[in-house]
């Protein structure tokens, strides 16, 4: 799960997908395309909205997306198109390109991107939670099939 800062959207996406999947079989992680907040915990507004829905993301630590992630992960979900193109710019071959998807491609919604809530209010974090939750429901349904 990748966004820009790895403190608002992708920590939520990591926590939400983890809450719906079996950690023995599915490894979920998150990262940011930018390195502004490396080592920091998620934004308090993300921590609060996750907590409201019973998910604890407070222990996560921000890291920057890096080239090794193409080898480590089968699917790389970008929150918005800017993150998507920043990740694609790091690819070296078709197999890496094929791993990169927009998270909201998983659901039929009128929006393609999870909006950046950083400069807005708490409403934005609710909206972001709802969008990510819908996508993670679809992913989990598929991954959890026997
Ligand atoms: P995120 O939100 O990409 O969802 O983690 C942001 C966090 C920090 C900044 C921008 C977006 N920033 O400019 O520091």
């Amino acid at each position: 799960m990748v966004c820009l800062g790895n403190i608002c959207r992708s920590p939520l996406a990591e926590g939400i997908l983890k809450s719906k999947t079996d950690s023995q079989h599915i490894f979920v992680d998150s990262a940011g395309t930018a390195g502004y907040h490396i080592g920091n915990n998620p934004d308090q507004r993300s921590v609060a909205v996750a907590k409201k829905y019973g998910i604890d993301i407070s222990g996560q630590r921000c890291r920057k997306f890096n080239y090794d992630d193409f080898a480590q992960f089968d699917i790389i979900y970008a929150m918005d198109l800017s993150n998507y193109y920043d990740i694609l710019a790091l690819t070296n071959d078709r197999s890496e390109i094929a791993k990169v998807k927009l998270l909201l491609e998983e659901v039929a919604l009128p929006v393609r991107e999870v909006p950046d809530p950083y400069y807005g209010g708490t409403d934005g974090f609710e909206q972001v939670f709802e969008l990510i939750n819908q996508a993670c429901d679809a992913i989990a349904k598929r991954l959890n099939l026997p």
Side-chain angles (χ1 to χ4, degrees):
M1 298 297 192
V2 183
C3 62
L4 175 64
N6 190 214
I7 56 166
C8 297
R9 292 166 291 177
S10 59
L12 276 174
E14 176 186 333
I16 292 169
L17 188 58
K18 277 181 171 165
S19 77
K20 298 177 193 291
T21 50
D22 178 353
S23 63
Q24 295 221 315
H25 299 109
I26 314 278
F27 178 58
V28 185
D29 195 17
S30 65
T33 54
Y36 315 133
H37 303 278
I38 291 171
N40 291 357
N41 293 116
D43 187 287
Q44 280 309 309
R45 297 165 294 178
S46 284
V47 173
V49 75
K51 190 175 172 192
K52 182 175 161 188
Y53 295 101
I55 299 170
D56 180 6
I57 64 166
S58 63
Q60 290 184 32
R61 288 271 189 282
C62 172
R63 73 173 180 91
K64 191 171 179 200
F65 182 85
N66 67 82
Y67 183 71
D68 290 344
D69 289 321
F70 291 113
Q72 288 293 322
F73 295 91
D74 299 310
I75 309 177
I76 296 163
Y77 285 112
M79 298 298 126
D80 67 28
L81 281 167
S82 169
N83 318 142
Y84 179 79
Y85 290 120
D86 284 345
I87 299 163
L88 279 185
L90 299 172
T91 57
N92 276 327
D93 63 37
R94 280 164 189 266
S95 71
E96 291 168 1
I97 293 170
K99 291 184 177 188
V100 189
K101 300 176 192 299
L102 270 180
L103 179 67
L104 296 188
E105 283 174 17
E106 292 285 352
V107 272
L109 293 172
V111 285
R112 293 181 74 198
E113 304 180 272
V114 181
D116 183 346
Y118 187 63
Y119 293 106
T122 48
D123 280 6
F125 285 75
E126 276 284 346
Q127 189 200 357
V128 159
F129 185 98
E130 180 55 33
L131 288 170
I132 293 172
N133 193 46
Q134 288 186 50
C136 289
D137 269 338
I139 296 167
K141 203 168 165 186
R142 197 175 62 241
L143 292 179
N144 288 333
L145 289 176

